[in-house]
Amino acid sequence: RTLKGGGGAGLSYFVFDFLAKDGESLRDRPLKDRKAKLKTLLEATGRSGPIFYSDHIEGDSTELLETLCPSGFEGILAKRANAPYRPGRGRSWLKVKCGRDQEFVVVGWSPSNTNRPFSSLLLATRDGDQWRYAGRVGSGFSAADLELLSERLRKRARKTPPVAGSVPSDVKRNAQWVKPELVVQISFAEFTGDGLLRQARFLGLREDKPAESVTRDVPQSSKGAEAMSAEREAAPSEETVGGVRLSNPDKVLYPQQGVTKRELALYLEAVAERMLPHLSDRLLSLVRCPQGRAKKCFFQRHGGAGLSEGFHRQSIAKKSGGEEEYLYLKDVSGLLAAAQMGVLEFHIWGSRIDDIDRPDRLVFDLDPDPSVAFAEVKGAAVLLRDALEALGLKSFPLLTGGKGIHVVAPLVRRHEWPTIKAFAKALSERVAENDPERYVATMSKAKRTGRIFIDYFRNDRSATAIAPYSPRAHEGAPLAWPVGWEELQAAPSADVYPLRNADPGAPDAWADYHRVRQSLKAASLRALGVSTAAARGAGT
C-alpha cells in the first residue's frame, strides 16, 4: 500500500515477535525464545532502524508504570515469557492501562428530567482549606445507589455552593448544593484542561474516609493490576457492562481516536436515560461495524439469526402485501446489546410500534452541499423554526454528527403519514421557492450545488432519521447531539460533539421535548395548500 506524502520516507517499524524462520514455524516456542531469535536476526538494524527491535523489561512493572503514566502514556502490555504464540485475545498477555480511580466529595447534584432522583452528582476535591469543583458523574448508579444517595443528599441540603472558584454556568444554573460530607469513589479517563473530569463513572460510596482528606490524586499506576490480571485469567476476552456481556471489549471501533467497544458501551449506558425516550419502541435501522468503522459496515433493519436477547422483533404489513420483520429496543440492555454487536448508528422510524401509521415526530433534514458554510445551515434551521412556529409548531435542533442539522417537531399522534408528508413537502417547497439560490427541496444532486437540500422525505412510513444521542460511523466518533437554539448559534459544525467528550449529565437542551403537546392544525394545512380531502383521507 502506498503511503501518502513521501511514500513512506522516514517511516520506522517496530517488531516485537517472530513467528517463523526459513519456513519453520516458531509459534509453539516460548516468547522469550522467539524474541531472542528476532534480536539475533536484526542485529545492528534492530538498534539503528528503520526496523527496530522492540525490547522488554522483565520483572515487576510497578516502577515502569509509575514512570510512564504521569508522562501521558496509555499503559503497557504484560506478556508471559514462556507462552507460545496464540492469535487473538488470550490468557498469556494483559493490557495494563494508566487508568484513573480516586475519591471525590459530593458538593451538589443536578436534577433529572426523568424519574431518576438526580441526573448527576457534582464533585469536588480539597485545595488547602477550600473545596474546588472537579466536574460531575452521571453514570454507574444502580437503583439501590440512586435511592441511598438521594436520601443522603436530602439530609445535607444547603442553599449556597460550598466550592470556591468558578463552576460552569450551565451546571450552576440548576445545581442543588449539599454539605461536602459524602465521599465517593470515581473512575474516569482524565482531567480536562480546565481540571474537570472526563468520562466519569460512579463506583461506590466511601464510608472509611473523611471528606477533608480528599485531594486530587495523580494517575494510578499498578494499583489493582494483579486483580485485573486474575480477572482476565478467568475471562480473558469478556467484560460485563450493565449486566450485558461484551466480548473483546478492547476492540477498537474508531481507529483514529482509539475508541473501543467498552467505551461505546459505557457511553450508551450513561446516555440511556435521555436516549431511550426517543428510541425505545420504535422500529430501527442499524449501522453495524463489527470490525470498526474503517472496515466493512452494513445496514440492518430486519431480524435474523445471532441477534442478542436485548433486541425485539415485530412483523409489519408491507404495502405490496405480506409482512416483514423489523427490530426495536426497549431498554438499556438493548443499547448495550447493540454495542456488543458493533452498532455505530441508530436510525429511528417516526412512529411507535403500537401505532405505526400515526407519527409522533416531524423531521426536516438540512443537508448542505460541501461548498455551503455551516453558518448558512444554522440560518436555514432558524428559518424553518420560525416558519413552524408561525404554523403553531414548536421545534428543536439536532446536530446530526455529520454535515447538517435536523429540525424536529414533536407531534400528538393525530394525523397519518400521508398528511404529515404532504405538510412537510409543502413547507419545504415554499421555503425553497422563496429563496431558490439558497435552498432546494428536490433530491436531484445536480440541483443541490451550492445550496441546502431541505429533505422532507424522512416523513414517510418506513423512512428513518438518526436518533438523538446516537453515535455516528464517521471519523472523529461524533454524536448526533440535541442542542438548544441559543447553543446552536455557537456550534462551529454539526460534528462538534465527539463520543469521548460527551457529558450525559449536562443540562438537557431538549428537557421540554416530551412535554410538548401539538399537532397540525387545519388552518396550517390550508395555509400550505394541503387539501382537506387529503387530510380526511389521512385520518384527520
Side-chain angles (χ1 to χ4, degrees):
R1 179 178 294 181
T2 301
L3 297 178
K4 295 180 180 179
L11 183 68
S12 297
Y13 183 50
F14 289 79
V15 290
F16 54 84
D17 207 342
F18 194 30
L19 304 186
K21 180 182 180 182
D22 298 330
E24 176 189 359
S25 175
L26 303 176
R27 293 172 180 241
D28 290 330
R29 302 289 296 274
L31 173 62
K32 60 183 180 181
D33 290 354
R34 301 197 307 270
K35 292 200 69 174
K37 289 182 178 293
L38 177 63
K39 186 175 183 179
T40 301
L41 177 69
L42 292 175
E43 297 180 332
T45 302
R47 296 187 298 274
S48 60
I51 301 178
F52 290 90
Y53 171 71
S54 181
D55 210 342
H56 55 268
I57 296 175
E58 296 189 48
D60 189 358
S61 63
T62 300
E63 184 176 349
L64 178 62
L65 274 170
E66 290 177 348
T67 301
L68 293 176
C69 291
S71 300
F73 286 83
E74 182 180 351
I76 63 172
L77 287 177
K79 300 186 177 183
R80 294 190 184 280
N82 61 352
Y85 175 82
R86 295 293 182 264
R89 295 301 300 268
R91 302 183 180 185
S92 62
W93 63 275
L94 171 69
K95 182 183 290 185
V96 184
K97 292 187 175 182
C98 295
R100 301 192 175 184
D101 179 350
Q102 70 169 76
E103 304 88 9
F104 292 87
V105 172
V106 180
V107 293
W109 52 278
S110 294
S112 172
N113 295 311
T114 62
N115 58 358
R116 287 198 354 166
F118 56 85
S119 174
S120 59
L121 298 178
L122 310 183
L123 307 173
T125 56
R126 197 72 172 169
D127 182 9
D129 59 353
Q130 297 179 320
W131 294 104
R132 295 289 180 185
Y133 179 70
R136 53 189 167 184
V137 58
S139 67
F141 302 102
S142 67
D145 293 331
L146 292 169
E147 182 178 356
L148 174 63
L149 286 166
S150 62
E151 179 182 352
R152 297 194 177 189
L153 291 171
R154 285 196 300 271
K155 293 178 179 179
R156 292 168 171 81
R158 58 179 283 168
K159 293 183 179 180
T160 58
V163 294
S166 63
V167 177
S169 58
D170 59 336
V171 176
K172 194 173 183 179
R173 187 179 304 119
N174 298 310
Q176 304 293 311
W177 303 108
V178 299
K179 298 175 183 177
E181 298 173 349
L182 295 177
V183 179
V184 291
Q185 193 78 17
I186 303 294
S187 68
F188 59 102
E190 64 180 3
F191 285 105
T192 68
D194 297 328
L196 304 182
L197 294 170
R198 188 169 72 81
Q199 291 186 356
R201 181 177 174 81
F202 176 79
L203 298 179
L205 270 171
R206 289 291 301 268
E207 308 280 7
D208 59 330
K209 195 164 187 176
E212 291 73 16
S213 67
V214 177
T215 58
R216 178 168 167 174
D217 294 339
V218 296
Q220 71 179 43
S221 59
S222 60
K223 179 183 178 182
E226 291 184 4
M228 186 187 302
S229 178
E231 182 180 344
R232 289 283 177 82
E233 283 292 303
S237 60
E238 293 185 347
E239 183 174 319
T240 299
V241 174
V244 175
R245 183 169 294 175
L246 300 181
S247 63
N248 201 358
D250 291 315
K251 179 184 287 292
V252 175
L253 300 179
Y254 292 89
Q256 289 81 2
Q257 292 71 40
V259 175
T260 64
K261 182 189 290 188
R262 176 191 296 106
E263 290 180 87
L264 172 64
L266 290 174
Y267 163 73
L268 290 173
E269 181 189 33
V271 83
E273 179 186 5
R274 294 188 179 182
M275 186 176 184
L276 285 170
H278 297 281
L279 182 141
S280 64
D281 293 328
R282 293 184 190 274
L283 302 182
L284 301 171
S285 290
L286 309 172
V287 176
R288 293 181 59 186
C289 306
Q291 302 304 317
R293 66 158 298 274
K295 297 187 179 180
K296 182 179 180 181
C297 299
F298 59 93
F299 271 97
Q300 180 172 355
R301 63 188 309 182
H302 301 298
L307 283 176
S308 301
E309 292 182 359
F311 281 88
H312 300 267
R313 305 164 188 254
Q314 177 153 322
S315 294
I316 301 296
K318 298 189 295 183
K319 292 181 180 179
S320 58
E323 292 187 341
E324 284 185 310
E325 186 179 72
Y326 289 84
L327 304 174
Y328 69 96
L329 301 176
K330 297 182 72 69
D331 50 31
V332 65
S333 65
L335 286 176
L336 297 176
Q340 161 61 17
M341 292 166 48
V343 174
L344 298 189
E345 293 189 5
F346 299 82
H347 296 257
I348 57 175
W349 283 41
S351 55
R352 306 268 181 181
I353 58 173
D354 61 339
D355 195 348
I356 291 294
D357 293 317
R358 295 180 189 270
D360 64 353
R361 66 198 312 260
L362 177 68
V363 182
F364 295 89
D365 178 5
L366 300 175
D367 184 9
D369 179 75
S371 64
V372 177
F374 189 63
E376 294 290 320
V377 187
K378 293 189 289 187
V382 171
L383 179 64
L384 266 176
R385 176 201 67 185
D386 294 345
L388 288 168
E389 189 172 315
L391 294 167
L393 296 175
K394 181 178 181 178
S395 60
F396 298 78
L398 177 76
L399 295 174
T400 63
K403 299 180 300 178
I405 299 169
H406 286 184
V407 178
V408 185
L411 298 173
V412 173
R413 298 190 291 184
R414 178 185 176 192
H415 297 288
E416 293 190 354
W417 279 115
T419 301
I420 299 299
K421 185 176 181 179
F423 174 89
K425 178 177 186 291
L427 178 56
S428 300
E429 291 178 343
R430 183 75 59 88
V431 172
E433 288 168 1
N434 288 341
D435 195 345
E437 297 300 314
R438 186 170 296 175
Y439 306 115
V440 63
T442 176
M443 295 187 74
S444 171
K445 286 190 176 291
K447 295 183 179 180
R448 292 197 223 171
T449 303
R451 297 177 175 86
I452 297 170
F453 172 39
I454 306 175
D455 182 358
Y456 64 86
F457 293 92
R458 300 187 183 278
N459 301 288
D460 208 347
R461 186 176 187 264
S462 61
T464 62
I466 193 68
Y469 302 103
S470 173
R472 301 305 303 266
H474 301 166
E475 183 175 349
L479 301 169
W481 199 259
V483 295
W485 287 106
E486 290 185 6
E487 187 181 359
L488 176 67
Q489 296 311 308
S493 66
D495 58 357
V496 70
Y497 288 95
L499 187 149
R500 276 191 166 169
N501 290 344
D503 184 2
D508 186 358
W510 283 25
D512 295 333
Y513 181 94
H514 296 288
R515 292 193 283 266
V516 174
R517 307 289 295 173
Q518 59 188 13
S519 63
L520 303 186
K521 300 176 181 178
S524 300
L525 293 171
R526 287 195 300 271
L528 292 174
V530 177
S531 71
T532 55
R536 282 196 299 272
T540 56

